[in-house]
């Protein structure tokens, strides 16, 4: 079997590239096509804003950046803030008040911060103190 002749094939046109979207769904109000992205490549700034809830975001862009890149950075920034807030909320639930006493030693949380040198030596039943100073 042989190949088809090139003359029998029709001319191929240029491949059609679908344009990337410039309107997106808002992360906060969940309205579709409410977030618009504007790129100012000369100034190197990408601006994103939701026309429903008024959320705004701004980031640096370069000559290769597209509207999708600005939206992606917004999503990443929102996730980072949510993760940070979640970490703070779980940490704040376990924090001690200034008046609380420890079970061992009867010292308050304020006393621990004042004496950093006391932390380096270990004492108590079954624990031998280190001879070396760090």
């Amino acid at each position: 079997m042989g190949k088809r002749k090139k003359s029998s094939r029709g001319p191929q046109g240029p491949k059609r590239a679908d344009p990337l979207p410039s309107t997106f769904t808002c992360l906060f109000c969940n309205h579709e096509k409410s977030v618009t992205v504007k790129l100012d490549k000369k100034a190197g700034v990408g601006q994103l804003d939701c026309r429903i809830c008024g959320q705004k975001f701004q980031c640096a862009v370069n000559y290769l950046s597209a509207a999708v890149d600005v939206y992606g950075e917004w999503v990443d920034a929102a996730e980072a803030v949510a993760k940070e807030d979640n970490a703070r909320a779980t940490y704040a639930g376990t924090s001690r008040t200034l008046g609380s006493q420890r079970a061992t030693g009867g010292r308050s949380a304020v006393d621990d911060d004042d004496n950093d040198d006391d932390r380096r030596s270990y004492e108590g039943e079954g624990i031998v103190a280190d001879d070396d100073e760090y």
Side-chain angles (χ1 to χ4, degrees), residues 67-81:
V68 175
D69 299 322
V70 176
Y71 184 75
E73 284 193 36
W74 183 45
V75 170
D76 293 341
E79 285 178 359
V81 169

Side-chain angles (χ1 to χ4, degrees), residues 120-122 128-134:
R120 294 185 183 165
S121 64
Y122 299 101
V128 179
D130 290 337
D131 295 335
D132 299 332
E133 288 294 322
Y134 294 104

Side-chain angles (χ1 to χ4, degrees), residues 96-115:
R96 299 175 189 246
T97 60
L98 294 177
S100 67
Q101 299 291 322
R102 286 190 166 190
T104 59
R107 298 183 337 186
S108 67
V110 176
D111 294 339
D112 291 341
D113 294 337
D114 294 339
N115 299 327

Side-chain angles (χ1 to χ4, degrees), residues 3-14:
K3 292 183 181 180
R4 291 189 180 187
K5 293 182 179 179
K6 289 190 176 190
S7 62
S8 65
R9 289 189 212 163
Q12 281 188 332

Side-chain angles (χ1 to χ4, degrees), residues 1-131:
M1 297 242 190
K3 292 183 181 180
R4 291 189 180 187
K5 293 182 179 179
K6 289 190 176 190
S7 62
S8 65
R9 289 189 212 163
Q12 281 188 332
K15 290 186 179 180
R16 188 167 184 210
D18 293 331
L20 295 172
S22 61
T23 58
F24 303 96
T25 302
C26 181
L27 298 175
F28 297 98
C29 67
N30 291 326
H31 278 85
E32 292 186 11
K33 297 182 180 179
S34 64
V35 174
T36 57
V37 177
K38 296 176 186 171
L39 296 174
D40 187 2
K41 291 186 179 181
K42 235 179 200 183
V45 175
Q47 295 178 344
L48 174 142
D49 64 84
C50 177
R51 60 176 192 246
I52 305 296
C53 66
Q55 281 291 323
K56 294 183 187 246
F57 180 75
Q58 193 169 325
C59 67
V61 296
N62 58 23
Y63 69 98
L64 294 174
S65 297
V68 175
D69 299 322
V70 176
Y71 184 75
E73 284 193 36
W74 183 45
V75 170
D76 293 341
E79 285 178 359
V81 169
K83 185 182 277 187
E84 184 178 307
D85 287 346
N86 190 16
R88 283 185 183 172
T90 57
Y91 181 72
T94 61
S95 66
R96 299 175 189 246
T97 60
L98 294 177
S100 67
Q101 299 291 322
R102 286 190 166 190
T104 59
R107 298 183 337 186
S108 67
V110 176
D111 294 339
D112 291 341
D113 294 337
D114 294 339
N115 299 327
D116 291 335
D117 296 333
D118 291 342
R119 285 190 204 166
R120 294 185 183 165
S121 64
Y122 299 101
E123 297 175 2
E125 294 180 25
I127 299 175
V128 179
D130 290 337
D131 295 335

